[in-house]
Amino acid sequence: AKLGDAGREVPLAACHIVTQRATFASARRFIAFVRARHDQARLVGALKDTGTLVPCTTPAEVLETLAHGGAAAVIVTAYASTQREGVALCGGIRLRFPTVPVLLYYDPTVTTPRDLMEYFEAGVTEVIQHEVDDVRRALGAVLAAAGHKMA
């Protein structure tokens, strides 16, 4: 399988992925495939006192970051322009890191139910709704539910 990466195809095997057990540091680290700065800022604010967000702009960067330090969860943003990449990334994470929850960050004004189904079929565990769940108290509940489903 391949992931689109800034207009070019990147074989998943080229990322040199290794499965690692979660450590205390990775238990507070959240990796996100998120390109928009305002979405990064909202997620950083929502994770305050919970953990650290590591924003990545390509699927390959997400997989490499995950392989080299683990994470409590991976957040994939459902942008229309990166949907194929995002869906493929969810499947790649599920295949290589089956115990890592994959959360979908989406805006219901632009993401259709059909889009959501594609992500769920690829392995998304939970959803984070833009401007609803991306506040500190709500995101904590979503993260707890995602972790519980993977246990």
Side-chain angles (χ1 to χ4, degrees):
K2 294 183 178 185
L3 294 173
D5 180 17
R8 62 185 174 89
E9 296 294 316
V10 176
L12 289 175
C15 297
H16 306 290
I17 303 303
V18 293
T19 303
Q20 294 183 346
R21 294 199 182 275
T23 63
F24 176 74
S26 68
R28 295 185 44 82
R29 183 168 101 143
F30 300 89
I31 300 170
F33 175 43
V34 56
R35 291 183 177 154
R37 296 242 187 246
H38 65 277
D39 288 338
Q40 289 177 10
R42 285 191 70 85
L43 290 170
V44 165
L47 288 168
K48 188 176 181 176
D49 302 327
T50 303
T52 303
L53 183 75
V54 180
C56 300
T57 58
T58 67
E61 185 182 1
V62 170
L63 292 171
E64 188 170 330
T65 303
L66 185 56
H68 288 56
V74 174
I75 301 168
V76 176
T77 309
Y79 299 125
S81 62
T82 61
Q83 182 165 340
R84 284 188 2 182
E85 290 176 302
V87 169
L89 176 60
C90 293
I93 293 168
R94 186 62 42 238
L95 180 67
R96 289 168 175 75
F97 304 94
T99 61
V100 175
V102 179
L103 295 91
L104 183 67
Y105 185 52
Y106 80 103
D107 182 341
T109 64
V110 296
T111 307
T112 68
R114 180 173 289 166
D115 296 339
L116 290 175
M117 286 305 299
E118 282 188 57
Y119 282 101
F120 275 107
E121 289 170 356
V124 164
T125 313
E126 266 307 324
V127 294
I128 303 168
Q129 187 173 330
H130 179 73
E131 294 188 357
V132 174
D133 296 321
D134 54 358
V135 293
R136 212 174 312 173
R137 177 176 276 169
L139 187 57
V142 171
L143 294 173
H148 180 70
K149 286 180 183 178
M150 299 308 293

